[in-house]
Amino acid sequence: MAIRPVLRMGDARLLRRAEPVSGFGSEELRALLADMRDTMQALNGAGLAAPQIGVNLRVVIFGVQKNPRYPDAEEVPETVLINPAIMVLEETIKDDWEGCLSLPGLRGLVPRFQNIRYQGYDEQGALIDRTVSGFHARVVQHECDHLDGILYPMRIRDITKFGYTEELFPGQALQDE
Ligand code: NI
């Protein structure tokens, strides 16, 4: 287990389409997930995708627990999601602020679908199938975008709504994804 360096925007490895995982329960996958968890926890992130640590596989982790530092954050279950697929349930889109561990210190206002169903597999290969909304849906869309080489600034509609967290939200502690 190890805390791995997180690639930052500008690194071409963040722009690749990641490859599906073909085998579950392997030592390689177990080690990757251990490193991803260590890295996300060390940086206090809400989510992390394997490409962010330079591993070009369709693996994401995410989860937000209730934390007095983030009183407005909705809880999201700790999840390992492999080879995910997202189905948009209806067309409602909402803008909200996002940060990303690959763009430290920055935030942007990003449109996302409000209601989605997502499927994928956990590390043992068991199917995950959830219908979610709001912040949970946003986090999943953000992480899965990483698997297709998409970083949140590419989705910002009004680029004036993109800037440094300390200027936009002075004094607030906010999590990145
Ligand atoms: Ni991110």
Side-chain angles (χ1 to χ4, degrees):
M1 297 196 294
I3 297 165
R4 303 267 293 261
V6 175
L7 307 184
R8 294 191 301 174
M9 189 170 73
D11 191 308
R13 288 173 289 178
L14 290 170
L15 303 176
R16 298 182 293 187
R17 183 177 165 79
E19 301 289 338
V21 170
S22 53
F24 294 92
S26 69
E27 175 56 26
E28 186 185 16
L29 183 59
R30 192 203 62 76
L32 169 63
L33 288 165
D35 284 359
M36 288 176 68
R37 286 192 190 97
D38 286 352
T39 303
M40 188 174 95
Q41 281 171 15
L43 298 172
N44 194 31
L48 185 71
Q52 291 181 275
I53 59 168
V55 176
N56 200 34
L57 290 172
R58 303 186 80 77
V59 177
V60 304
I61 63 173
F62 52 84
V64 179
Q65 294 170 329
K66 271 290 169 203
N67 183 332
R69 286 181 67 202
Y70 315 106
D72 297 332
E74 298 166 43
E75 219 167 320
V76 179
E78 298 287 334
T79 303
V80 169
L81 191 64
I82 298 168
N83 298 344
I86 292 176
M87 290 136 277
V88 176
L89 296 179
E90 46 90 25
E91 296 296 315
T92 305
I93 289 170
K94 195 180 157 196
D95 282 291
D96 208 346
W97 294 93
E98 294 184 14
C100 179
L101 294 171
S102 293
L103 291 85
L106 292 163
R107 295 193 94 71
L109 195 63
V110 183
R112 300 286 184 189
F113 292 107
Q114 273 296 283
N115 298 292
I116 63 168
R117 177 181 175 189
Y118 67 90
Q119 294 178 322
Y121 300 91
D122 72 10
E123 55 204 293
Q124 308 303 330
L127 180 68
I128 294 167
D129 183 345
R130 292 178 183 153
T131 297
V132 301
S133 61
F135 180 59
H136 188 158
R138 175 171 297 277
V139 170
V140 172
Q141 289 169 85
H142 177 114
E143 298 312 330
C144 292
D145 264 359
H146 279 295
L147 306 180
D148 294 326
I150 298 167
L151 299 167
Y152 78 78
M154 300 174 187
R155 295 202 181 275
I156 293 174
R157 295 190 279 203
D158 174 357
I159 203 65
T160 70
K161 301 292 190 293
F162 180 48
Y164 288 94
T165 310
E166 287 176 357
E167 311 301 337
L168 289 162
F169 302 100
Q172 285 188 47
L174 297 166
Q175 280 187 296
D176 293 330
E177 292 153 45

